[in-house]
Amino acid sequence: MARSIGEVGVDDLVEAGLPREAAAEFERTLRESVARARRSGTPSPGLELDPREVWRELASAGALKPSHPHRVHQLVYYSVYSGWDASARGPPLYWFPSLSQSKETNLGRLMESHGRKLLGSSYKDPITSFSLFQKFSAEHPDVYWSMALNELSLSFRRPPSCILDSSDKSKPRGTWLPGAVFNIAECCLLPSQQQRRGDDSIALVWRDEGYDHMNVNRMTLKELREQVMLVANALDATFSKGDAIAIDMPMTVHAVIIYLAIVLGGFVVISIADSFAPKEIASRLHISKAKGIFTQDFIQRGGRKFPLY
């Protein structure tokens, strides 16, 4: 079992990779953060103080930095949460958004738009009212998911007859969105006022393998849509709707375009890991009955070229 955060000292931090002077400064910040958490927080079940408050204080103080050795991050994290019962409470939390950050998330915007109408005066903000809002969503799935689907700007070819059909008792969890038909790639590629996504919005950001010294590349939603439609139209002229099309490529911008194009065109995507040996690739093509495959001759890793198949 990891030692508690109160037992971590300068020698432990030095052993984890910090110079002694930096370790002494870090240890002071650590003690101050624990003291603030003790004053402001409430004890956690079975613990002297809430480790989430300790971690929150450490994050606010900027104690851990990217330049610190990974072992320092591990030491502090596991020491803070040494008494945390993950089986009962889930994994220990690492990141706590600020109130302003929480309001900029998809869920935060949804809560700010509808929270007061649904919860009345009980609603405060996305952080304080998170558990209350989550409980409402579980107890009123029709109301919550109607709002969520609208916020996500899903464009249905055929809308569902309801959100959740619980009439069939042989399906204890019911049937979600019965009768609905939509193309998820189409939803990804269209502008959305709710999502604040326009044609000029950046849709993809990437850097090509072997070009770490170069600036990242960017593609707008309009540019992505044009590329996807180009590939989708080519597929439509060659294959039949419902055909299985495989992709055996690394995760590149081209693979993203191809994946969306296969879905947009009404075909079935067969994803094959680029690490598979030729025999495994052939096996998956046979099992899926793929009618076509997108691939490349080789992949680049660390400046070297490796045959893909």
Side-chain angles (χ1 to χ4, degrees):
M1 182 176 179
R3 64 178 61 195
S4 70
I5 194 63
E7 298 172 317
V8 173
V10 173
D11 289 341
D12 300 302
L13 294 165
V14 170
E15 186 179 348
L18 283 182
R20 183 161 292 276
E21 184 177 344
E25 178 62 30
F26 190 99
E27 199 259 355
R28 283 193 293 273
T29 303
L30 191 60
R31 298 290 163 253
E32 292 168 358
S33 297
V34 171
R36 286 195 299 272
R38 197 182 302 277
R39 289 194 299 268
S40 62
T42 55
S44 190
L47 301 174
E48 183 182 354
L49 74 164
D50 192 337
R52 294 171 297 185
E53 291 300 323
V54 177
W55 189 258
R56 194 194 305 271
E57 290 292 344
L58 283 169
S60 298
L64 287 166
K65 297 177 172 55
S67 58
H68 287 155
H70 183 60
R71 288 179 62 196
V72 173
H73 288 259
Q74 286 184 308
L75 170 65
V76 176
Y77 177 72
Y78 289 115
S79 297
V80 167
Y81 286 107
S82 61
W84 185 267
D85 186 357
S87 62
R89 309 179 68 183
L93 302 177
Y94 188 87
W95 177 67
F96 296 88
S98 66
L99 183 58
S100 60
Q101 288 173 328
S102 72
K103 291 181 178 181
E104 287 300 310
T105 64
N106 290 333
L107 180 59
R109 289 199 298 269
L110 184 70
M111 292 176 69
E112 285 290 277
S113 298
H114 303 280
R116 288 174 181 81
K117 180 174 65 177
L118 299 176
L119 303 177
S121 59
S122 299
Y123 181 79
K124 305 302 180 186
D125 58 67
I127 294 178
T128 307
S129 305
F130 177 81
S131 296
L132 195 60
F133 196 81
Q134 189 278 330
K135 181 181 179 182
F136 177 90
S137 72
E139 294 176 348
H140 305 278
D142 286 4
V143 177
Y144 172 76
W145 283 106
S146 293
M147 295 185 306
L149 292 173
N150 181 65
E151 186 72 19
L152 291 170
S153 299
L154 288 187
S155 178
F156 289 97
R157 300 280 182 89
R158 186 172 69 227
S161 57
C162 63
I163 297 296
L164 177 61
D165 181 3
S166 304
S167 60
D168 188 346
K169 301 306 179 184
S170 66
K171 300 178 180 179
R173 297 185 179 181
T175 301
W176 289 90
L177 307 180
V181 176
F182 69 96
N183 189 307
I184 191 62
E186 185 178 71
C187 298
C188 292
L189 295 168
L190 292 176
S192 166
Q193 185 175 357
Q194 285 95 334
Q195 293 287 305
R196 295 185 285 186
R197 183 178 69 226
D199 275 343
D200 294 330
S201 299
I202 299 299
L204 293 178
V205 178
W206 79 97
R207 179 182 281 130
D208 295 322
E209 181 76 25
Y211 291 87
D212 292 351
H213 60 290
M214 302 292 288
N215 293 330
V216 295
N217 303 293
R218 291 177 171 82
M219 183 179 291
T220 66
L221 181 66
K222 182 180 179 181
E223 291 169 337
L224 175 61
R225 185 169 62 248
E226 290 172 348
Q227 292 291 314
V228 170
M229 291 181 67
L230 187 67
V231 178
N233 288 334
L235 289 172
D236 196 51
T238 308
F239 300 96
S240 300
K241 301 292 185 186
D243 282 351
I245 311 294
I247 304 178
D248 181 20
M249 298 173 64
M251 180 55 74
T252 64
V253 64
H254 301 104
V256 172
I257 291 169
I258 291 167
Y259 191 101
L260 289 171
I262 295 173
V263 176
L264 183 66
F267 307 101
V268 178
V269 180
I270 307 299
S271 296
I272 301 176
D274 60 7
S275 59
F276 281 178
K279 184 178 179 180
E280 292 299 322
I281 296 173
S283 175
R284 277 152 180 77
L285 292 174
H286 175 72
I287 293 171
S288 65
K289 299 179 181 179
K291 297 293 183 65
I293 181 172
F294 286 91
T295 188
Q296 57 193 64
D297 295 338
F298 59 85
I299 57 177
Q300 287 187 313
R301 291 288 186 271
R304 299 174 60 190
K305 293 182 178 180
F306 298 92
L308 190 56
Y309 56 87

